[in-house]
Amino acid sequence: MSRSLPAPARLLPAIGVMAAIFLLSHQQADDLPPLFPHFDKIAHFFIYGLLAAALVGAFEPDLRQRRPWPVVGIVVIWCLVYGLSDEFHQSFIPGRFPSLADIVADTFGAVVVSAGWVVVQVQAGKRAVGKESG
């Protein structure tokens, strides 16, 4: 069994990303000029992808290895719920409003990153098995 950081320490990156999302969502619309069309959807995709990566890292390494798809499911559901709460939060900020398209971008970012992590893990496992049998 590998040694890993204690659970609270593994959660710190995810808490940091969630805090950044909250602070960005708390900005009034005038304070967030778009850099190019659909910039906000791309930003949602990447920040929730980052949140998904941080959440995957918060799980015990042995659990991530033994049960990768349940970890992905939990991570995606967490990102969806946090995205919903973020859109609700934005409904109270002047000039901001909730958006279903933002929720879709959030969830898609979480799915792509967390499922991509599983694919990378599977490929790494195949390489490890190949080295052991070779």
Side-chain angles (χ1 to χ4, degrees):
M1 184 166 116
S2 64
R3 293 193 52 160
S4 66
L5 293 171
R10 290 193 313 268
L11 278 171
L12 288 176
I15 292 168
V17 174
M18 289 187 292
I21 290 169
F22 180 86
L23 292 173
L24 288 169
S25 293
H26 204 70
Q27 303 301 308
Q28 292 185 9
D30 297 341
D31 297 341
L32 300 169
L35 300 176
F36 51 83
H38 308 295
F39 170 78
D40 64 319
K41 303 307 175 255
I42 295 167
H44 275 263
F45 175 90
F46 282 106
I47 194 80
Y48 277 82
L50 181 62
L51 177 57
L55 288 168
V56 166
F59 280 86
E60 182 68 40
D62 292 338
L63 178 62
R64 288 192 312 248
Q65 186 176 15
R66 286 184 289 115
R67 310 280 298 177
W69 288 112
V71 167
V72 167
I74 292 167
V75 165
V76 169
I77 289 168
W78 182 266
C79 289
L80 172 62
V81 169
Y82 194 74
L84 288 166
S85 72
D86 180 52
E87 293 302 312
F88 179 71
H89 166 235
Q90 284 184 30
S91 70
F92 297 100
I93 308 302
R96 304 291 296 270
F97 56 91
S99 165
L100 180 60
D102 288 350
I103 298 287
V104 170
D106 300 343
T107 306
F108 190 57
V111 167
V112 168
V113 169
S114 56
W117 163 76
V118 171
V119 170
V120 168
Q121 292 303 308
V122 167
Q123 292 302 316
K126 286 181 181 177
R127 284 192 299 272
V129 169
K131 287 180 183 178
E132 289 175 5
S133 63

